[in-house]
Amino acid sequence: MTPFAAADVSTLAVPFAVQSLDGSGNNVANPTWGQANQPYSRVAAARYADGRSQPVSGPNSRYISNRVFNDVAQNVFSERQVTAWGWTWGQILDHTFGLRLGRAPGDPAGETANIPFNANDPLEEFENTLGFIPFVRSDPAPGTGVTNPRQQVNTNPSYINGFPIYGGTSARLDWLREGSNDGNPANNNARLLMQGNYLPRANARGSASTAPPMEVDGILRANPASAMVAGDVRANENLFLTATHTLLAREHNRIVGLLPASLSEEDRFQIARRVVMAEQQYITYTEWLPAMGISLPAYSGYNPGINTALSNEFATVGYRVHSQIHGEMEIATDASRYTAAQLAAFEAQGIEIVREGDEVELVIPLNRGFFNPALVPSIGLGPLLQAIGGEPQYKNEEMIDNQLRSVLFQIPVSGNPECLDGEGLPECFDAVLDLGAIDVERGRDHGMPTYNQLRQAYGLPARTSFTQITGEASAAFPPGTGVDNPASLGFPQLFDVFNAEVDQADEDAVEGTPVRFNRASPLAARLQGIYGSVDSVDAFVGALAEPHVAGTEFGELQRAIWTREFQRLRDGDRFFYANDPALQYIQSTYGIDYRRNLGDLIALNSDIPRAELPKNVFFAEGDVPPAACRVTYRQESQWSTGFQVTMSITNAGSTPVPDGWTLRFVFPNGQQITQLWNGLVAQDGARVPVTNAGWNGTLGPGQTLGGVGFNATWSGVNNRPAAFSLNTTACTTG
């Protein structure tokens, strides 16, 4: 087997070269392509007010946020029931291939451009004693922004290469590996340094001052020595992210343990690293991207003509999917995991404890989950990883939870622990940090084109009206609303996954089931009131305002941006798993296969058995939606009080439904199922979810499952259901 040309100097005994930590040398002919600390690439021309560096002006970004991103504490979930693994895996990838070069707010070396805050805005609910939202511009790439357009620098390598686990320098990797800390990782042990099987703290090797730098904020500011250390500086940002870092570090050490002791420590390290990098890629391209609705052309091999350098448009507009993040984290597990003292300590931090029999649920407001890594070992890795897949993430649209949109990383005021989430949130904070406003401002800072200019750069037609952007019927404000009227933000109608209207008197349903909504005023009207002209809309705002393409989590523009970027990250990577003979060598020699899904990794590295996880953890209950489906609903007989129906279900798509299905419909006239065969039913009023039996949960492409039927009662009228969906995919009917 012919090994790759060396990307790093190495003394490995095994016959493959080592991929560099910083991405250099991946492309042999152009060794800086995709390397860390290189400028982002651009798809469209930079847009600055002076043609060089000055950000374009536009509506105040907090003003936009209060009218577009403001969800007034209403939860709306993924219509395809993608779990929180959607945003969590997306974040570990973001921290793999992208980090702008820039200063933190308050750093005197930074170029401050704070966002003005208007306390008198009629849509403003939060107090901000600072009087502004801190914002610092990204550093310009050397040689840009004076006589030519300003560019920005990506400090991460533009490859999917395990960067969050291993870092990008020998010095960081040396600290992260067991053994000496002398700047040379090649003389260390094969295993990554862990403390109690969790990521090491900054003081794990003695003085925290000698540890690799890690970002600290919020709760962690008071005790930076307690920061957990990983390959990427952002590992402590939130509990789910820290848990995923821990999972991947454990996976590295697990693979090391499978290798023969006769190999050198460096050989075992590099084999394990190669496998973990391939696992990250494999999960990304075979599970996560399909779950998000991104379909790429079939892989045709490595293309050395592709420069993988991450595009500024992707990093600054397309990949900022903060709307998906729920304002709280819910962890349900056995109550026996925790002592009464542990539960009391959780409550003292502002975590709600819900006890139900022998189970307990920890409801963690996001501001308690930010920069609070001590909670990861306290709660336990297994429950955290299971919780990420335990419920749908938020719908990817224009709304952003106030935990991110108003109080990101902020410390709550003392003495008011009951206001850490929901409508009471403004009472708990006296400063504002708005991630949505920062996203808009970052687009202007980086010279992003307008929304219409960006659509055209990606081969999409420009929009000529605000209703074309949003897909709504009108851009007019109804009576009693207006761009500056808080009444414009209400939710007169909410709809659940059955496409049935949610009873707004049912608090649990309002909080836990909406996937679609109508607001008191059209988004198109609010955009028109803010911008005036379609051609003035910020790219970030317009991209999130688009209706979703069927079968995806994205509008047209965002889907186009993701499709281009992930195809280039795949096709321009010489070490992509489908192009890497080293992986075949490792499998044939040591019996280690990289082709594992995320649920497999969770079970192998935690105390959660595989049987307690769906096969595909990216969907609630593992119910993978088919691309298309068809249902026949045939009434076999009817009598004075009852009737009998036989149904068949067809997977009309080209991919399997691998691990269970749920057929949903709504009875229009109060019918009630009394007996069902070849499936299970848990009817809730008019809503009917029919799930598979233990033996018929798989539907291959083109496969039809017949013989699902039921007896039911009726009275007065017995009309058939109007619509059916299979794992959230709307089906044709016959």
Side-chain angles (χ1 to χ4, degrees):
M1 185 174 296
T2 303
F4 285 133
D8 251 354
V9 175
S10 175
T11 57
L12 280 176
V14 290
F16 56 79
V18 178
Q19 186 175 1
S20 66
L21 293 170
D22 67 356
S24 60
N26 187 307
N27 191 300
V28 175
N30 299 279
T32 63
W33 282 7
Q35 183 178 339
N37 299 308
Q38 297 291 315
Y40 290 101
S41 63
R42 285 192 186 267
V43 176
R47 175 175 173 258
Y48 294 108
D50 59 359
R52 299 183 306 277
S53 180
Q54 182 183 343
V56 296
S57 61
N60 175 274
S61 53
R62 177 66 178 181
Y63 180 89
I64 297 169
S65 176
N66 281 336
R67 288 150 181 79
V68 175
F69 307 146
N70 192 351
D71 69 358
V72 295
Q74 175 61 58
N75 299 342
V76 181
F77 298 94
S78 163
E79 70 269 38
R80 297 171 62 248
Q81 302 290 277
V82 175
T83 68
W85 273 117
W87 72 258
T88 303
W89 192 259
Q91 188 172 38
I92 203 78
L93 285 173
D94 178 44
H95 295 184
T96 299
F97 48 55
L99 175 60
R100 68 179 183 89
L101 179 65
R103 307 284 178 160
D107 187 330
E111 187 178 343
T112 299
N114 294 328
I115 301 167
F117 181 86
N118 180 10
N120 296 317
D121 183 343
L123 270 63
E124 187 59 68
E125 297 180 291
F126 286 81
E127 181 182 357
N128 185 4
T129 55
L130 279 177
F132 59 84
I133 297 170
F135 183 84
V136 176
R137 296 193 68 186
S138 299
D139 292 353
T144 71
V146 179
T147 61
N148 57 358
R150 181 170 174 143
Q151 307 297 343
Q152 290 75 33
V153 175
N154 181 10
T155 63
N156 278 20
S158 298
Y159 295 103
I160 300 175
N161 67 346
F163 181 91
I165 313 155
Y166 307 108
T169 66
S170 293
R172 182 176 285 265
L173 180 59
D174 184 47
W175 194 97
L176 290 170
R177 286 174 64 172
E178 290 181 354
S180 63
N181 183 27
D182 59 2
N184 178 20
N187 62 17
N188 279 7
N189 295 340
R191 291 171 51 86
L192 293 171
L193 179 65
M194 303 285 272
Q195 287 182 298
N197 215 16
Y198 288 90
L199 296 181
R201 301 301 180 100
N203 57 12
R205 290 185 177 272
S207 173
S209 64
T210 64
M214 297 297 295
E215 285 187 1
V216 297
D217 210 329
I219 299 166
L220 202 54
R221 279 188 179 275
N223 189 15
S226 294
M228 289 183 171
V229 183
D232 184 78
V233 299
R234 296 161 286 183
N236 296 282
E237 200 170 273
N238 66 73
L239 293 180
F240 286 176
L241 175 67
T242 309
T244 308
H245 271 273
T246 307
L247 168 68
L248 295 174
R250 285 189 184 184
E251 173 65 1
H252 173 93
N253 286 355
R254 186 189 72 83
I255 294 170
V256 169
L258 299 176
L259 293 167
S262 58
L263 289 173
S264 72
E265 294 290 335
E266 182 67 3
D267 287 342
R268 295 166 75 209
F269 173 84
Q270 295 296 353
I271 292 170
R273 176 176 172 240
R274 194 64 147 247
V275 173
V276 172
M277 289 191 295
E279 288 174 335
Q280 188 188 23
Q281 294 172 351
Y282 183 77
I283 290 167
T284 297
Y285 283 90
T286 65
E287 279 196 298
W288 178 71
L289 284 173
M292 301 300 285
I294 298 298
S295 178
L296 300 180
Y299 183 62
S300 58
Y302 171 57
N303 183 348
I306 291 177
N307 183 349
T308 60
L310 210 67
S311 73
N312 217 323
E313 291 83 359
F314 175 77
T316 309
V317 176
Y319 205 55
R320 291 178 178 249
V321 286
H322 300 129
S323 60
Q324 297 174 344
I325 302 175
H326 199 323
E328 61 187 21
M329 299 171 168
E330 299 175 359
I331 293 94
T333 188
D334 295 335
S336 59
R337 283 185 179 271
Y338 312 115
T339 65
Q342 285 177 302
L343 293 175
F346 290 151
E347 283 188 299
Q349 291 194 54
I351 297 171
E352 181 184 357
I353 308 297
V354 181
R355 297 173 177 85
E356 293 186 7
D358 58 358
E359 290 196 350
V360 64
E361 183 179 53
L362 312 179
V363 183
I364 307 173
L366 201 56
N367 59 76
R368 299 287 84 187
F370 285 138
F371 288 100
N372 195 2
L375 278 179
V376 177
S378 297
I379 293 171
L381 186 65
L384 276 168
L385 296 174
Q386 191 170 31
I388 300 173
E391 70 170 355
Q393 66 181 9
Y394 275 176
K395 185 183 181 78
N396 178 43
E397 24 77 325
E398 74 278 2
M399 297 189 302
I400 300 175
D401 192 282
N402 265 326
Q403 295 280 359
L404 299 157
R405 197 191 72 85
S406 293
V407 300
L408 179 71
F409 305 152
Q410 302 298 293
I411 303 294
V413 298
S414 59
N416 197 0
E418 302 302 319
C419 64
L420 288 176
D421 196 21
E423 295 179 359
L425 198 64
E427 303 168 24
C428 214
F429 295 85
D430 57 13
V432 168
L433 192 61
D434 182 342
L435 187 54
I438 289 170
D439 288 335
V440 173
E441 211 68 29
R442 189 66 65 202
R444 297 170 182 174
D445 170 29
H446 282 212
M448 286 294 103
T450 66
Y451 163 70
N452 262 341
Q453 288 170 341
L454 195 58
R455 279 185 62 89
Q456 291 174 307
Y458 280 87
L460 300 169
R463 295 305 195 192
T464 59
S465 69
F466 287 98
T467 54
Q468 274 193 352
I469 297 175
T470 65
E472 295 167 302
S474 172
F477 280 105
T481 67
V483 71
D484 293 326
N485 189 333
S488 298
L489 300 180
F491 289 88
Q493 288 184 301
L494 299 164
F495 301 89
D496 62 20
V497 74
F498 290 85
N499 204 30
E501 188 167 355
V502 175
D503 179 2
Q504 300 217 24
D506 185 339
E507 291 184 8
D508 290 340
V510 168
E511 181 179 350
T513 66
V515 300
R516 189 167 63 83
F517 57 88
N518 289 328
R519 298 198 83 164
S521 66
L523 176 58
R526 285 175 275 135
L527 290 175
Q528 182 167 269
I530 293 166
Y531 287 103
S533 168
V534 173
D535 290 327
S536 299
V537 175
D538 289 283
F540 176 77
V541 177
L544 290 181
E546 293 183 343
H548 286 181
V549 177
T552 81
E553 301 293 295
F554 307 107
E556 277 188 342
L557 177 55
Q558 209 171 21
R559 183 179 68 157
I561 295 172
W562 279 50
T563 300
R564 178 189 184 275
E565 206 74 24
F566 280 102
Q567 185 173 352
R568 294 176 70 85
L569 286 168
R570 179 193 70 178
D571 296 352
D573 184 357
R574 186 161 56 94
F575 294 93
F576 186 68
Y577 72 83
N579 189 59
D580 188 354
L583 298 168
Q584 302 165 24
Y585 169 84
I586 292 168
Q587 182 177 7
S588 62
T589 307
Y590 305 109
I592 298 172
D593 192 345
Y594 66 90
R595 290 170 293 190
R596 293 188 181 277
N597 62 39
L598 184 53
D600 293 339
L601 295 196
I602 294 169
L604 288 167
N605 294 284
S606 75
D607 57 2
I608 305 298
R610 190 65 184 88
E612 294 183 13
L613 296 163
K615 288 182 181 177
N616 189 324
V617 299
F618 289 98
F619 289 101
E621 308 298 330
D623 288 352
V624 178
C629 53
R630 184 171 60 255
V631 173
T632 62
Y633 180 95
R634 187 172 66 247
Q635 185 171 303
E636 305 288 358
S637 59
Q638 178 174 307
W639 54 99
S640 60
T641 59
F643 65 104
Q644 185 177 96
V645 166
T646 300
M647 298 185 294
S648 68
I649 304 165
T650 300
N651 175 5
S654 58
T655 57
V657 175
D659 187 32
W661 49 263
T662 300
L663 180 71
R664 294 181 176 90
F665 57 90
V666 174
F667 273 135
N669 308 117
Q671 299 96 323
Q672 182 70 42
I673 293 176
T674 57
Q675 180 186 19
L676 184 134
W677 46 92
N678 295 330
L680 304 171
V681 67
Q683 186 173 347
D684 179 14
R687 296 168 174 84
V688 183
V690 176
T691 58
N692 59 279
W695 52 269
N696 63 2
T698 300
L699 280 172
Q703 180 181 348
T704 296
L705 173 67
V708 178
F710 58 83
N711 291 326
T713 60
W714 70 286
S715 177
V717 181
N718 186 22
N719 293 324
R720 58 181 286 154
F724 297 83
S725 65
L726 182 67
N727 291 2
T728 71
T729 297
C731 301
T732 60
T733 58

